[in-house]
Amino acid sequence: MFTTRPEILATFGVVTSTHWLASQTGMSMLERNGTAFDACAAAAFVLQIVEPHLCGPGGEVPAIFYSAKNDKIEVLCGQGSAPAGATIQAFKRLGLDLIPGSGLLATVVPGAFDAWMQLVRDHGRLRLRDILEPAIGYAGRGHPMLPRVADTISGLRDLFTSEWPTSGEVWLPRGEAPKARELFANPALAACWLRLLGEAEARTPDRDGQFEAARDIYYRGFIAEAMDRFCRTQEVLDASGRRHKGLLTGDDLAGWKATYEAPLTRDYHGWTLHKTGPWGQGPVFLQTLALLEGIDIAALDPAGEAFVHTVAEAMKLAFADREAYYGDPAFVKVPIEQLLSAAYADERRKLMGPRASHELRPGTIPGYELQVARMLKGVRRLGSVQQTAGTFGEPTMQSMQAAGTARRGDTVHIDAIDQWGNMIAATPSGGWLQSSPVIPELGFALNTRAQMFWLEEGLPASLAPGKRPRTTLTPTLASKDGKPRLVFGTPGGDQQEQWQLSLFLRHVHHGLNLQESIDLPLFHTQHFPSSFYPREANPGQLTVEASIGDGALKALEARGHRVEVAPEWSVGRLTAAGIRPDGVLHAAATPRLMQAYAVGR
């Protein structure tokens, strides 16, 4: 079939990401004899510079990777936890029923930096300077400003001028919003990374020691001190319409570190899928596959209305279970074995019919009845189930449903495979330029990931100090015949699993290559409560790209879906990379938004 780009084929290495500069940066690490992990980390730091409305140095990252040396698949959890002072009672005393989606109250420990430092220390070959220098260069000397970044900053000009002046100093040089495609620099961030690098190298010439020093500087040195001081002394306007200080402290930062974990897995038609635990939404992907296992997906047109309807209805059921059962397993007991079991899927599959569901229908697991009832009551009480309009594409590209400080950020993604067979998928996010004010000494903002907690007692995603928010960030690794074969992912909040599933099913059941699978029309549903402030839901809603055709759109409406038609080439930002059984590497990136690129040789 015709594709917008060729699927990249290579033998030495491949890198694919949501921005061409990051992909090329990653590839340059491979050319310097670095590993896929060096490539991924260097690309991630560049993405913080060139897509600052989607990720930043104060954000978080989950990654899933295969180490050829250790012959092991692991999850790296760079999702920071809630501060010690972040209790439900503390928010209730402020008169809040939801955690604001912007400002300082929603900040958790920034987890991405520690995750990258540990990953490269343990699995890389290059030095700290090698990893940071490309990002320092783009921050200090400048990079071509993406139109969407320029538009985001322009839309926030009044906020940056009147309420968040420290952001204005960075993003409104000379008091004006930057112009698209013109050179833009962030000298304050470049100076921050240069200081960190200089201090780390001054402490020790040892490679591993420098990564350890960098971790210490970020979480206990001048960077941590600046974060602590800013949260203690600044009251900033947030999405609640009021001004609040932050809850994050130096002690919170000093006591946290990223962790390696075993992935959750499930077999599907000869493949084994590897995902994060239920502190993220990764198991939704596995639950949906369990539901689809009893359906002949191969017999459905991969761009037809029956395929879209079937996948969407399965997703609705899996996401309902996410609301009812998922949370940080260090704090709550998640019945994950039952949720992923064939018997449970067989019962749930009976709910899937020819008509679109308009109800939130979590499954029933003995012992969890009260928890499920609380969830449903909380959703109703907070008015999350409501009609919303004009919401297609990923959150960043939506017609922001709430104005001003509620403007929603999004995410980036990176996949990399090297000459030794190491592979990684990572989905960095948070610390968006629109999330909270810039910390002047650092040149970057903190994250707002705590908005994913509920301020209701007794729910698996209820707020608690030290708890990880139930993130939407969800990279994927797939193996076949015991060999790691694919890494893939996408930005997009609650849509991440949905777009990834289309890619995987089309590749597995219909024999399409990665680029073909990405290029076909994409779709998603916002039927269930959003993970983001203000937690809205849109029962029965289904967004579909117009390229699917009028006939399919009408057929989906006839099934009862509340169809919202998205423009062609506007939904999703998928990237993917793999190793074929003959050893040939292949990679692809979406043409949508004209940013993502796959490179290799």
Side-chain angles (χ1 to χ4, degrees), residues 66-282:
Y66 170 72
S67 165
K69 179 180 178 180
N70 299 334
D71 191 23
K72 188 177 183 181
I73 296 171
E74 293 184 271
V75 168
L76 176 61
C77 177
Q79 175 55 68
S81 55
T87 64
I88 291 176
Q89 294 72 28
F91 281 88
K92 295 295 186 183
R93 284 195 294 269
L94 294 172
L96 297 172
D97 289 324
L98 288 173
I99 297 176
S102 63
L104 296 175
L105 276 178
T107 297
V108 301
V109 175
F113 187 84
D114 194 65
W116 295 126
M117 294 299 100
Q118 288 196 57
L119 179 74
V120 180
R121 179 200 65 191
D122 297 340
H123 300 284
R125 290 170 170 244
L126 303 181
R127 301 179 71 85
L128 178 64
R129 177 172 289 274
D130 300 319
I131 302 302
L132 291 181
E133 272 190 333
I136 292 171
Y138 285 124
R141 295 189 296 273
H143 60 91
M145 172 69 77
L146 288 171
R148 285 175 180 81
V149 183
D151 289 345
T152 300
I153 295 170
S154 179
L156 293 165
R157 179 177 175 176
D158 290 347
L159 173 68
F160 289 172
T161 300
S162 62
E163 293 289 346
W164 294 2
T166 58
S167 292
E169 292 172 8
V170 170
W171 303 112
L172 301 172
R174 299 173 298 280
E176 296 296 329
K179 292 183 171 59
R181 300 183 178 87
E182 291 190 356
L183 206 62
F184 182 87
N186 184 345
L189 178 53
C192 173
W193 287 147
L194 281 170
R195 179 178 173 184
L196 177 141
L197 180 59
E199 289 188 13
E201 290 180 335
R203 289 192 190 185
T204 176
D206 177 68
R207 175 193 180 275
D208 290 359
Q210 289 178 3
F211 286 108
E212 284 301 297
R215 297 174 67 201
D216 184 64
I217 293 163
Y218 189 102
Y219 290 93
R220 286 166 286 277
F222 80 91
I223 293 179
E225 291 168 0
M227 293 179 186
D228 176 277
R229 184 167 52 250
F230 196 79
C231 287
R232 280 189 292 104
T233 63
Q234 302 299 308
E235 284 190 336
V236 306
L237 183 69
D238 58 38
S240 72
R242 289 181 280 153
R243 296 172 181 83
H244 298 104
K245 293 181 180 180
L247 299 172
L248 184 72
T249 69
D251 288 342
D252 295 317
L253 293 159
W256 187 87
K257 65 179 181 179
T259 54
Y260 293 110
E261 302 178 3
L264 281 178
T265 63
R266 198 180 196 286
D267 294 337
Y268 179 82
H269 287 269
W271 290 79
T272 301
L273 281 297
H274 307 260
K275 298 290 287 186
T276 70
W279 49 266
Q281 70 180 11

Side-chain angles (χ1 to χ4, degrees), residues 40-55:
C40 191
F45 281 102
V46 167
L47 287 170
Q48 295 171 2
I49 310 300
V50 299
E51 293 197 281
H53 61 319
L54 306 181
C55 70

